[in-house]
C-alpha cells in the first residue's frame, strides 16, 4: 500500500481546514439575534385588533445579548408590541443566575402586558422555577399556565389561553376538548410544537409554540436537523403551519439548551394581526 503523497496530504489538510472555517463562521453568525415578522389574517379577528402587534419570546434559557441584555431589550422595544407572550423555557436546570432575565424583564415590562406559560425545563426539579415566578410577580408578568384572559381593545376582545407544561392529559381533556367558542377569536400558548396535530379539534385559531429550537442545526432547503429526544428532521421545527382552521407559529427560540446553534439564529417572533 502506497504512502499518501505530499500533494494528497495537503489537499486533505486544506479540505479539513476549509470545513472547520465554514463551521466556525456558521456558528459565529448563528449567534446574532434576529426578528421574524408574520402577518396573520383571519376574518374572526375583530376590526379593532387590525394591526395589533404580538411579540413572542420562547426558549430563552437565560440567554444574554449585550451588556445587561441591552441588545435584546432594544430589539423588542423597536417592535412596539401591544402584547408580549413568553412561551416556555425561560430557564433551565443549568442556569442558576437569572440576572439576564431580570435585566430583560426590567427593560421590556413597561412596553406592553406580558403573559407567560411554562415549558419542559421549568418542570425540571433542579430548575429555579420559584425564582422565575418571583421575577414574574416583581415585573407584573402574568403566569397564564392553565388560565385564560380576554384582551380588550375598544369594544372588542380576543381570548388567550395558556397550557402549562406541568399538567397531565386528564387536565388537557377536561379543559381543552370542551372549548368551542365560534364567537371569539382565540389564541393558545402551548410550548410543545410537536403537539400541533392534537390541537385543531379544540377550536383555537392561532397557536404559538416553541420547544424544537429550530432543529438546532438548520440545513439549507431542508430545515431543522435535530428534534427533541434526538429524532431527525422534526416536522414542526420553525415557521407557520396550518391544519383545518388552526394556524400554529413556531419560534426557533432564543437560547441554547444542548449544543450550539448552526445556521439557526436566535429568533424573536413578531406577529401583526390583520382584520379581513
Amino acid at each position: 500500500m502506497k504512502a499518501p503523497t505530499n500533494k494528497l496530504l495537503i489537499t486533505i489538510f486544506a479540505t479539513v481546514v476549509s470545513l472547520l472555517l465554514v463551521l466556525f463562521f456558521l456558528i459565529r453568525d448563528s449567534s446574532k439575534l434576529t426578528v421574524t415578522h408574520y402577518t396573520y389574517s383571519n376574518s374572526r379577528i375583530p376590526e379593532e385588533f387590525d394591526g395589533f402587534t404580538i411579540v413572542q419570546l420562547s426558549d430563552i434559557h437565560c440567554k444574554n445579548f449585550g451588556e445587561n441584555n441591552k441588545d435584546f431589550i432594544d430589539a423588542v422595544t423597536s417592535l412596539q408590541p401591544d402584547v408580549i407572550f413568553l412561551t416556555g423555557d425561560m430557564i433551565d436546570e443549568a442556569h442558576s443566575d437569572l440576572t439576564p432575565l431580570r435585566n430583560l424583564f426590567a427593560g421590556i415590562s413597561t412596553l406592553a402586558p406580558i403573559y407567560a406559560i411554562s415549558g419542559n425545563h421549568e418542570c425540571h426539579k433542579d430548575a429555579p422555577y420559584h425564582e422565575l415566578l418571583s421575577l414574574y410577580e416583581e415585573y407584573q408578568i402574568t403566569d397564564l399556565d392553565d388560565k385564560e384572559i380576554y384582551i380588550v381593545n375598544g369594544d372588542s376582545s380576543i381570548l388567550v389561553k395558556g397550557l402549562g407544561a406541568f399538567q397531565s392529559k386528564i387536565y388537557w381533556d377536561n379543559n381543552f376538548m370542551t372549548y368551542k367558542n365560534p364567537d371569539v377569536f382565540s389564541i393558545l400558548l402551548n410550548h410543545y410544537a410537536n403537539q400541533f396535530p392534537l390541537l385543531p379539534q379544540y377550536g383555537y385559531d392561532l397557536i404559538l409554540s416553541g420547544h424544537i429550537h429550530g432543529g438546532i442545526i438548520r440545513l439549507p432547503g431542508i430545515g431543522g436537523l435535530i428534534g427533541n429526544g434526538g429524532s431527525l428532521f422534526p416536522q414542526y421545527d420553525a415557521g407557520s403551519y396550518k391544519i383545518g382552521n388552526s394556524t400554529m407559529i413556531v419560534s426557533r427560540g432564543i437560547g441554547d439548551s444542548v449544543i450550539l446553534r448552526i445556521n439557526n439564529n436566535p429568533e424573536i417572533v413578531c406577529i401583526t394581526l390583520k382584520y379581513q
Side-chain angles (χ1 to χ4, degrees), residues 32-231:
K32 296 177 181 177
L33 187 63
T34 60
V35 178
T36 302
H37 292 270
Y38 296 89
T39 298
Y40 174 77
S41 300
N42 191 318
S43 60
R44 288 165 45 77
I45 296 172
E47 186 172 2
E48 288 170 300
F49 280 83
D50 186 57
F52 190 85
T53 300
I54 297 168
V55 166
Q56 179 196 5
L57 308 177
S58 195
D59 301 271
I60 293 179
H61 291 275
C62 295
K63 190 73 171 180
N64 187 74
F65 295 89
E67 186 176 359
N68 297 323
N69 234 340
K70 183 179 184 301
D71 295 346
F72 198 169
I73 294 165
D74 288 348
V76 175
T77 302
S78 70
L79 299 173
Q80 299 182 301
D82 293 300
V83 69
I84 298 171
F85 293 137
L86 311 179
T87 51
D89 283 4
M90 301 297 102
I91 57 173
D92 58 46
E93 59 278 12
H95 296 89
S96 58
D97 183 5
L98 302 192
T99 301
L101 286 178
R102 175 179 292 278
N103 291 333
L104 174 66
F105 296 159
I108 68 173
S109 60
T110 59
L111 298 176
I114 305 177
Y115 302 93
I117 60 166
S118 58
N120 55 297
H121 281 277
E122 276 91 350
C123 301
H124 195 283
K125 64 181 179 63
D126 295 324
Y129 181 58
H130 294 292
E131 291 88 341
L132 177 65
L133 291 180
S134 295
L135 283 182
Y136 286 169
E137 184 175 359
E138 180 178 352
Y139 291 101
Q140 297 183 313
I141 295 169
T142 302
D143 176 12
L144 207 61
D145 267 10
D146 313 312
K147 303 180 184 74
E148 66 182 38
I149 54 98
Y150 283 88
I151 297 177
V152 178
N153 196 13
D155 294 326
S156 300
S157 62
I158 61 176
L159 175 65
V160 182
K161 193 160 187 175
L163 179 59
F166 287 91
Q167 294 295 352
S168 67
K169 186 177 185 298
I170 294 174
Y171 181 91
W172 179 303
D173 289 345
N174 289 344
N175 290 271
F176 288 83
M177 188 169 290
T178 57
Y179 174 72
K180 298 282 184 182
N181 189 343
D183 299 323
V184 181
F185 176 78
S186 58
I187 297 174
L188 175 67
L189 310 181
N190 177 47
H191 181 67
Y192 298 105
N194 52 301
Q195 291 179 340
F196 184 43
L198 304 175
L199 298 174
Q201 63 182 313
Y202 299 114
Y204 295 96
D205 298 294
L206 179 61
I207 300 163
L208 303 184
S209 299
H211 186 54
I212 312 291
H213 287 240
I216 301 177
I217 299 169
R218 293 190 66 78
L219 304 177
I222 297 176
L225 176 62
I226 303 172
N228 298 86
S231 61

